[in-house]
Amino acid sequence: MDRTDGSHWLYSYLPQGVAGGATSTLIPLFAYALGGTLLTVGIIAAATSLASVPAFILWGSLSDRFARRKVFLLIGFVGSGIALLAMAVSRNMSQFYLANLLAGFLGAASGPAGTVLLMETSKRAEWPARLALVSRIGAIGWVAGLGLGIAWLAIGPGLVSAELSSMRALFVIGAALGLLSGLLVQVWTREPAVRVDRRDVHLPDVHPRIERGRYLPIRILHFVNPLDWRRKVRLSRTLRLYLVCVFLLFGGFTAFYGFFPIFLKESYGLGSPEIFAVYIASQATSIAMYPHVGRWVSARGDRSTQLYASLGRSMLFPSFLLVGMAALPYGARLGVAIALHAGVGLCWALINVAGSTLVSRLAPENGRAEAFGTYNAVQGFGSILGPLLGGFAAQYLGYAMAFGASVGLILSGCAILAATRVSER
């Protein structure tokens, strides 16, 4: 088959990944510094997910309908840059809400288009390797972005006279990187001559995927299109039960991240650079473990792996609360937080790979695309509930109840997963 270009355009994901790593953790910290509350921080994360879930459907459907990929990749990258610039100049919470809604809406455009473009510019046999490459590029960029955040937030306040001003400057740096990604797409990418129908692609996502406190994945292949009635696929009862489990698990995960950075600031007394360091421990650990996770899942089974990894998180999350209550010196508290969050990152790698392989096994033969699309959508819905619940509990009931709400959702999901009768092979 004739393909239009090589793989160098995939490296446009690198500056975009750096921008995401530098600003994702910054968003709740900036909102809190801007005068927001724990509840408003949770609302911001939920708002981004609320905008992105229907946006993935809109942009993905338009991309498929008009058989265009490059323009939507540009909208996603350039739109993310514009949204980050809007965050940098926000002077109140209303403006910051709108900037985050914009990030969710425009940023979603690149996910469905970029993933299919990757396949349309390579041979079918190369798809797994290409997916792995773009996943590594984005993940490495994300960790580099967190490192950039640590460095800038450590030296920035001395250069621009205030921490809030240094945060604004970091948003501007992230915006510039997003626009750079758009420029690279414009220069390196052409519309492919070959077309791929995403519904005919049934690859489980077992490659590195960045965990965020909101639903805005860098790449997404399948999505639910409620306007497409050409194929009506009935999912099995077991798969429907599993999707309820996924909703609860992701609600619990994002409930935790809805208040976690502010908890580290208030209860641990950590500064912004140290909070970024805690986050880099999770991301770096999950990326390092991905090459090994596939073998572990194959050896132990996808259902059991996801169950035990989720239970692990249900124990790790409240451990942060216990450490915060202990009379530990600053350095020891920071070290324990980094170690605990590294464990959280390991659990994420296991959960992500096991979940994708489990959905692949449970999906009906004639409805794999619909099953994966529903799986992605359910994660998004959970990411709307979670930050709202976590932020509300932290604001009005205290951190102990917020941790309890997060763990409660996770354990509820684990109970359903444990009760679901699924063979391990």
Side-chain angles (χ1 to χ4, degrees), residues 52-105:
S52 71
V53 172
F56 278 120
I57 299 172
L58 172 65
W59 297 122
S61 299
L62 289 175
S63 175
D64 292 346
R65 181 177 180 83
F66 294 105
R68 291 292 183 268
R69 311 300 181 198
K70 178 179 177 179
V71 63
F72 295 100
L73 201 59
L74 281 170
I75 291 171
F77 287 170
V78 174
S80 295
I82 293 172
L84 290 174
L85 194 59
M87 293 181 200
V89 299
S90 296
R91 298 294 171 182
N92 54 55
M93 290 305 299
S94 296
Q95 294 174 357
F96 200 56
Y97 281 137
L98 292 175
N100 278 271
L101 283 169
L102 189 67
F105 180 72

Side-chain angles (χ1 to χ4, degrees), residues 80-264:
S80 295
I82 293 172
L84 290 174
L85 194 59
M87 293 181 200
V89 299
S90 296
R91 298 294 171 182
N92 54 55
M93 290 305 299
S94 296
Q95 294 174 357
F96 200 56
Y97 281 137
L98 292 175
N100 278 271
L101 283 169
L102 189 67
F105 180 72
L106 294 179
S110 60
T115 306
V116 177
L117 178 62
L118 176 151
M119 297 174 178
E120 291 175 340
T121 56
S122 60
K123 298 178 181 178
R124 181 177 290 267
E126 298 172 352
W127 289 355
R130 287 290 189 96
L131 284 170
L133 175 60
V134 77
S135 298
R136 287 196 301 270
I137 291 170
I140 291 170
W142 197 276
V143 173
L146 285 166
L148 172 63
I150 293 172
W152 176 254
L153 292 174
I155 65 174
L159 299 176
V160 296
S161 74
E163 183 180 32
L164 191 62
S165 297
S166 69
M167 290 180 173
R168 294 185 189 278
L170 188 53
F171 277 125
V172 173
I173 294 171
L177 289 166
L179 295 176
L180 174 60
S181 284
L183 176 61
L184 294 178
V185 167
Q186 177 62 29
V187 173
W188 284 344
T189 309
R190 298 190 302 273
E191 285 293 341
V194 174
R195 294 300 173 191
V196 171
D197 188 338
R198 69 177 74 241
R199 291 173 301 175
D200 295 331
V201 181
H202 306 141
L203 295 174
D205 188 353
V206 296
H207 305 295
R209 178 181 163 195
I210 298 298
E211 182 178 24
R212 302 185 180 190
R214 52 185 180 158
Y215 186 70
L216 193 59
I218 294 175
R219 53 183 171 74
I220 184 172
L221 179 59
H222 298 296
F223 53 86
V224 173
N225 186 354
L227 300 180
D228 187 359
W229 299 102
R230 291 173 295 176
R231 296 179 64 183
K232 292 184 178 180
V233 177
R234 180 173 177 79
L235 304 180
S236 67
R237 180 178 180 275
T238 301
L239 180 53
R240 294 198 305 271
L241 280 174
Y242 176 66
L243 292 173
V244 174
C245 159
V246 170
F247 172 75
L248 293 170
L249 289 178
F250 275 78
F253 300 158
T254 54
F256 169 76
Y257 282 112
F259 62 83
F260 182 58
I262 311 305
F263 169 78
L264 291 176

Side-chain angles (χ1 to χ4, degrees), residues 267-270 323-337:
S267 296
Y268 281 51
L270 300 185
V323 172
M325 297 168 59
L328 295 176
Y330 181 86
R333 189 177 299 157
L334 173 60
V336 173

